[in-house]
């Protein structure tokens, strides 16, 4: 057969196999026997092997797994993948509903969806072709797992329309696949996976895509990366339908609810029906449906204010307290942890449970040797619920917290208004180790090859005393360490050197300032631009920054006023550490626009620009685009069908432009 004919045949096979796969994996309604599918797949593989240039990116043969990878590269999400705030009771859901109504009134509806217990993923398409898949990671930076996601049958390699977009969802392992996998691993005497979520995450993070291909994973997509206005969508429920039209798989058990009673009825229904599902769920997601109302409610640094996750009641089991361990964190807080007889809780083997602090131990009267009821709050965090006093041994003695630090033997103190015992010795080995481990972590200075074990080695050998010493490590010192060869030492020194160029927010987060997480660090770095400017800022100036509250501002001022901190920063500066923000930032000295330094809200439908395009252009000219109208808003851009945000802006006397005025200003 001539190549031209083979090319036509390959295209035909590609199309028909994609359709058969969709019927089998997504619709559970196959129209041909497995033998015919296998025969056609074999024919396509043979054509592609003879002519590799006929192997297209969306070929069904790419599902079987390609070449083994050496590592996962990092991916920066175009828009943050926010977490959801968790609730565990009816009272929490009612409080969320009340906050929503206070901000947008009573004219809205919810979409309720099953919360799939898997791994959050992002799928990118260009002109309808799958080009990149990534994990959620820390919400800002994830890992590129494109090759592994290609093996998941429910991930379309080509969409039904040639659109460019990002879809977000959950990759999970069905219960049946999980049980089969663990059965096979047991037969091979390999460690079993604790639950389907861990199995799915472990499968997607295999460097060999063939392993991921063998695990029978699936997906449910639950959102677009943007609010979908560029596709004419006005609400979340329409976006889910749109995703299905494009060939994605979404969960059909969702429901639109117009009252809180309907939301609770949905929760009650799926609390009972949860065991009948072929996949694991750990709760219910509740979202405000309308996009404009979502924008008006906005987000915190970490979570959206328009959505929340109700987590199912925790499973409870009985086990025995074998011991109580004490750990010292980087802020000096001593945390007691119960060491338990291993027990299965909500699909996971639990051997430890946090006891939080001395007051909890005393209040619940927890003693070594006690039989206790433990549960996993939200199916995640193990905790001791109560002691079974009728099973207590007669010689069980009350537990007494130590008076001295278990790491450095310094006297422990309890600061005013705190329940925790704290070691205040700045030279405490455990605190320094925890602080160093945080400083070198991925979201901070990202010093590869310097994990907790290496940090502990460096401290024990006296090579480092604080984070600034990392920048004076020498090759001849490192290769003397146990299990630290020349290759590992070179890698570590190179990573230390590369970290000097990090943008300011990485250093800010790495310093471990109380209440300052990675996202807040980026907001501060982008606003103040230099460490000196941030150190000189007052509490009032800090709280003027979008999403920086009084508690964080007070913590920052206190931290930078410390002479030891100032000396540390001086040593880091002398070592060549960058102290400036190197992300996108407007040179305000040269920017003379009607957007510079102003807080701006976009609402309604724009005809000539997408909302994301308008936002990018405004921010490039120094504006700060937010999702809700308040007294701090300087300008509202109102498109067609603008709703409550426009009404609120007019009541507050805020300047309002239409799209034509926006285009005119942008042109200038």
């Amino acid at each position: 057969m001539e190549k031209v004919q083979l090319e036509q045949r390959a295209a035909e096979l590609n199309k028909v196999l994609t359709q058969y796969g969709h019927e089998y994996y997504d619709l559970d309604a196959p129209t041909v026997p497995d033998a015919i599918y296998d025969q056609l797949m074999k024919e396509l593989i043979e054509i592609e092997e003879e002519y590799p240039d006929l192997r297209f990116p969306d070929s069904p043969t790419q599902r079987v797994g390609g070449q083994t990878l050496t590592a996962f590269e990092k991916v920066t999400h175009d828009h943050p993948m926010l977490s959801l705030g968790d609730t565990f009771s009816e009272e929490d859901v009612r409080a969320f509903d009340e906050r929503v109504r206070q901000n947008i009134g009573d004219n809205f509806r919810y979409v309720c969806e099953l919360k799939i217990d898997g791994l959050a993923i992002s799928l990118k398409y260009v002109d309808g072709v799958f080009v990149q898949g990534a994990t959620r990671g820390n919400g800002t930076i994830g890992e590129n797992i494109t090759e592994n996601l290609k093996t998941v049958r429910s991930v379309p390699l080509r969409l039904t329309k040639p659109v460019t977009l990002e879809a977000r969802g959950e990759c999970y392992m069905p219960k049946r696949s999980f049980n089969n996998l663990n059965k096979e691993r047991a037969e091979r005497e390999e460690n079993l996976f604790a639950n389907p979520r861990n199995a799915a995450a472990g499968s997607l993070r295999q460097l060999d895509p063939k392993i991921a291909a063998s695990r029978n994973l699936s997906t449910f997509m639950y959102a677009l990366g943007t609010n979908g206005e560029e596709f004419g969508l006005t609400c979340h429920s329409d976006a889910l339908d749109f995703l299905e039209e494009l060939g994605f798989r979404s969960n059909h058990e969702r429901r639109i609810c117009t009252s809180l009673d309907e939301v609770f009825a949905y929760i009650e229904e799926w609390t009972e029906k949860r065991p009948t599902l072929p996949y694991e769920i750990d709760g219910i997601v509740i979202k405000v449906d309308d996009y404009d109302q979502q924008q008006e409610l906005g987000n915190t640094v970490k979570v959206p204010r328009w959505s929340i996750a109700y987590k199912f009641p925790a499973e409870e089991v009985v086990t025995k307290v074998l011991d109580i361990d004490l750990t010292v964190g980087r802020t000096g807080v001593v945390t007691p942890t119960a060491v338990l007889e291993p027990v299965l809780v909500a699909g996971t083997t639990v051997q430890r449970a946090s006891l939080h602090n001395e007051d909890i131990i005393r209040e619940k009267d927890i003693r070594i040797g006690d039989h206790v009821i433990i549960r996993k709050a939200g199916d995640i965090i193990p905790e001791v619920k109560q002691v079974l006093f009728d099973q207590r041994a007669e010689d069980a003695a009350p537990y007494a917290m130590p008076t001295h630090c278990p790491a450095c033997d310094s006297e422990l103190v309890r600061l005013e208004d705190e329940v925790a015992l704290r070691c205040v010795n700045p030279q405490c080995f455990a605190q320094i180790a925890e602080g160093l481990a945080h400083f070198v972590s991925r979201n901070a200075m990202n010093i590869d090859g310097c994990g907790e074990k290496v940090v502990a080695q460096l401290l024990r050998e006296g090579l480092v005393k604080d984070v600034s010493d990392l920048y004076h490590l020498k090759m001849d010192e490192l290769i003397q360490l146990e299990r630290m060869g020349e290759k590992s030492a070179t890698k570590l020194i190179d990573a230390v050197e590369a970290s000097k160029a990090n943008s300011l927010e990485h250093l800010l987060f790495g310093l471990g300032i109380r209440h300052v997480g990675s996202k807040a660090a980026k907001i501060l770095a982008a606003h103040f631009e230099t460490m000196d400017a941030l150190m000189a800022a007052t509490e009032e100036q800090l709280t003027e920054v979008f999403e920086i509250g009084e508690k964080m501002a007070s913590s920052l001022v206190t931290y930078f006023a410390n002479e030891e901190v100032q000396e540390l920063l001086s040593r880091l500066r002398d070592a060549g550490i960058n102290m400036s923000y190197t992300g996108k930032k407007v040179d305000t000295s040269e920017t003379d626009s009607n957007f510079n330094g102003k807080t701006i809200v976009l609402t309604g439908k724009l005809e000539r620009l997408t909302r994301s395009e308008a936002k990018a252009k405004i921010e490039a000219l120094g504006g700060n685009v937010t999702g809700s109208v308040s007294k701090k808003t300087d300008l509202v851009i109102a498109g067609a069908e603008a709703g409550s945000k426009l009404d609120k802006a007019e009541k507050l006397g805020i300047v309002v432009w239409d799209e034509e005025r926006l285009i005119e200003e942008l042109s200038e």
Side-chain angles (χ1 to χ4, degrees), residues 279-320:
Y279 45 83
E280 292 286 357
I281 61 173
D282 59 351
I284 302 297
V285 177
I286 306 164
K287 300 177 182 176
V288 172
D289 192 23
D290 184 82
Y291 280 149
D292 273 349
Q293 290 176 332
Q294 288 183 7
Q295 290 272 341
E296 186 169 353
L297 289 164
N299 309 310
T300 68
V301 174
K302 294 183 178 180
V303 301
R305 294 190 178 96
W306 45 266
S307 181
I308 204 163
Y310 168 81
K311 306 299 285 289
F312 289 128
E315 182 181 338
E316 299 179 349
V317 298
V318 176
T319 187
K320 185 177 181 180

Side-chain angles (χ1 to χ4, degrees), residues 338-379:
V339 181
L340 309 167
E341 275 189 352
V343 62
L344 195 67
V345 189
T348 303
T349 300
V350 172
Q351 300 182 64
R352 299 171 69 84
S354 174
L355 299 176
H356 303 290
N357 55 60
E358 181 181 15
D359 287 359
I360 295 292
I361 295 175
R362 186 184 299 115
E363 178 186 325
K364 296 184 177 181
D365 191 16
I366 298 167
R367 306 182 185 185
I368 295 173
D370 278 348
H371 285 82
V372 295
I373 296 174
I374 67 165
R375 66 177 183 177
K376 293 176 71 181
D379 288 351

Side-chain angles (χ1 to χ4, degrees), residues 457-493:
Q457 274 187 303
L458 295 173
L459 281 169
R460 282 197 303 270
E461 298 299 324
L463 298 181
V464 297
K465 293 181 180 178
D466 61 38
V467 297
S468 67
D469 292 331
L470 290 168
Y471 295 93
H472 301 287
L473 292 172
K474 296 179 175 59
M475 175 68 75
D476 58 348
E477 296 174 328
L478 290 175
I479 59 176
Q480 301 300 317
L481 298 177
E482 185 180 352
R483 296 183 181 179
M484 178 69 77
E486 186 174 340
K487 185 176 180 181
S488 297
T490 301
K491 179 182 177 182
L492 175 54
I493 287 178

Side-chain angles (χ1 to χ4, degrees), residues 351-491:
Q351 300 182 64
R352 299 171 69 84
S354 174
L355 299 176
H356 303 290
N357 55 60
E358 181 181 15
D359 287 359
I360 295 292
I361 295 175
R362 186 184 299 115
E363 178 186 325
K364 296 184 177 181
D365 191 16
I366 298 167
R367 306 182 185 185
I368 295 173
D370 278 348
H371 285 82
V372 295
I373 296 174
I374 67 165
R375 66 177 183 177
K376 293 176 71 181
D379 288 351
I380 296 175
I381 306 168
E383 66 176 7
V384 175
K385 182 183 179 184
Q386 68 182 72
V387 175
L388 299 177
F389 295 108
D390 59 341
Q391 298 184 37
R392 170 174 285 170
E394 292 182 3
D395 60 349
Y399 181 78
M401 286 287 284
T403 57
H404 289 72
C405 175
C408 69
D409 204 37
S410 297
E411 187 174 356
L412 298 177
V413 300
R414 180 180 285 197
L415 301 180
E416 188 177 353
D417 298 327
E418 285 194 0
V419 296
L421 286 172
R422 190 183 293 271
C423 173
V424 294
N425 173 19
Q427 300 304 316
C428 174
F429 180 90
Q431 289 182 62
I432 295 172
E434 289 287 333
L436 277 165
H438 175 74
F439 185 83
V440 303
S441 64
R442 182 177 62 183
N443 296 338
M445 296 301 279
N446 193 23
I447 300 178
D448 198 17
C450 195
E452 290 183 8
K453 290 182 179 179
V454 173
V455 164
Q457 274 187 303
L458 295 173
L459 281 169
R460 282 197 303 270
E461 298 299 324
L463 298 181
V464 297
K465 293 181 180 178
D466 61 38
V467 297
S468 67
D469 292 331
L470 290 168
Y471 295 93
H472 301 287
L473 292 172
K474 296 179 175 59
M475 175 68 75
D476 58 348
E477 296 174 328
L478 290 175
I479 59 176
Q480 301 300 317
L481 298 177
E482 185 180 352
R483 296 183 181 179
M484 178 69 77
E486 186 174 340
K487 185 176 180 181
S488 297
T490 301
K491 179 182 177 182

Side-chain angles (χ1 to χ4, degrees), residues 6-67:
L6 288 174
E7 186 172 359
Q8 293 173 344
R9 179 59 177 163
E12 180 185 343
L13 289 168
N14 192 327
K15 183 177 180 181
V16 72
L17 285 168
T18 298
Q19 179 60 31
Y20 289 160
H22 175 63
E23 292 167 351
Y24 184 92
Y25 292 101
D26 299 340
L27 305 180
D28 197 22
T31 58
V32 296
D34 290 352
I36 292 179
Y37 181 90
D38 293 341
Q39 181 181 342
L40 295 175
M41 178 66 80
K42 183 174 180 291
E43 182 184 352
L44 180 58
I45 290 172
E46 289 173 351
I47 293 174
E48 292 179 351
E49 286 179 349
E50 184 176 356
Y51 294 102
D53 59 314
L54 297 183
R55 185 182 292 118
F56 302 111
D58 60 334
S59 170
T61 63
Q62 301 303 293
R63 302 285 195 190
V64 298
Q67 187 175 356

Side-chain angles (χ1 to χ4, degrees), residues 179-383:
N179 293 333
N180 289 338
L181 175 61
N182 265 353
K183 182 179 178 181
E184 292 170 2
R185 293 177 71 86
E187 290 170 353
R188 296 194 296 266
E189 297 185 353
E190 297 176 349
N191 291 333
L192 304 185
F193 282 108
N195 53 52
R197 178 181 64 249
N198 289 352
S203 301
L204 286 178
R205 297 199 72 259
Q206 293 286 336
L207 293 174
D208 184 355
K210 289 186 176 65
I211 296 177
S214 70
R215 297 285 173 82
N216 298 315
L217 302 174
S218 193
T219 59
F220 284 124
M221 306 312 292
Y222 53 64
L224 290 165
T226 58
N227 62 17
E229 287 194 347
E230 59 263 51
F231 304 111
L233 304 172
T234 60
C235 62
H236 173 66
S237 53
D238 286 348
L240 294 176
D241 293 337
F242 179 62
L243 285 169
E244 287 195 3
E245 290 174 17
L246 294 175
F248 294 104
R249 186 167 180 253
S250 68
N251 193 289
H252 288 169
E253 305 299 347
R254 59 184 181 265
R255 184 177 302 166
I256 291 176
C257 298
T258 56
S259 71
L260 202 54
D261 287 342
E262 291 179 2
V263 171
F264 286 129
Y266 182 87
I267 291 173
E268 183 178 354
E269 176 184 344
W270 285 106
T271 300
E272 295 177 2
K273 292 167 67 174
R274 177 186 182 189
T276 68
L277 289 167
Y279 45 83
E280 292 286 357
I281 61 173
D282 59 351
I284 302 297
V285 177
I286 306 164
K287 300 177 182 176
V288 172
D289 192 23
D290 184 82
Y291 280 149
D292 273 349
Q293 290 176 332
Q294 288 183 7
Q295 290 272 341
E296 186 169 353
L297 289 164
N299 309 310
T300 68
V301 174
K302 294 183 178 180
V303 301
R305 294 190 178 96
W306 45 266
S307 181
I308 204 163
Y310 168 81
K311 306 299 285 289
F312 289 128
E315 182 181 338
E316 299 179 349
V317 298
V318 176
T319 187
K320 185 177 181 180
V321 178
L322 301 178
D323 200 359
I324 295 178
D325 272 355
L326 298 167
T327 55
V328 183
R330 59 186 169 88
T331 61
V333 172
V334 178
T335 303
T337 300
V339 181
L340 309 167
E341 275 189 352
V343 62
L344 195 67
V345 189
T348 303
T349 300
V350 172
Q351 300 182 64
R352 299 171 69 84
S354 174
L355 299 176
H356 303 290
N357 55 60
E358 181 181 15
D359 287 359
I360 295 292
I361 295 175
R362 186 184 299 115
E363 178 186 325
K364 296 184 177 181
D365 191 16
I366 298 167
R367 306 182 185 185
I368 295 173
D370 278 348
H371 285 82
V372 295
I373 296 174
I374 67 165
R375 66 177 183 177
K376 293 176 71 181
D379 288 351
I380 296 175
I381 306 168
E383 66 176 7

Side-chain angles (χ1 to χ4, degrees), residues 606-622:
L606 301 181
E607 303 295 334
R608 296 172 59 183
L609 294 170
T610 65
R611 187 171 292 198
S612 58
E613 287 172 340
K615 182 175 185 289
K617 290 177 183 293
I618 290 169
E619 289 180 344
L621 292 170

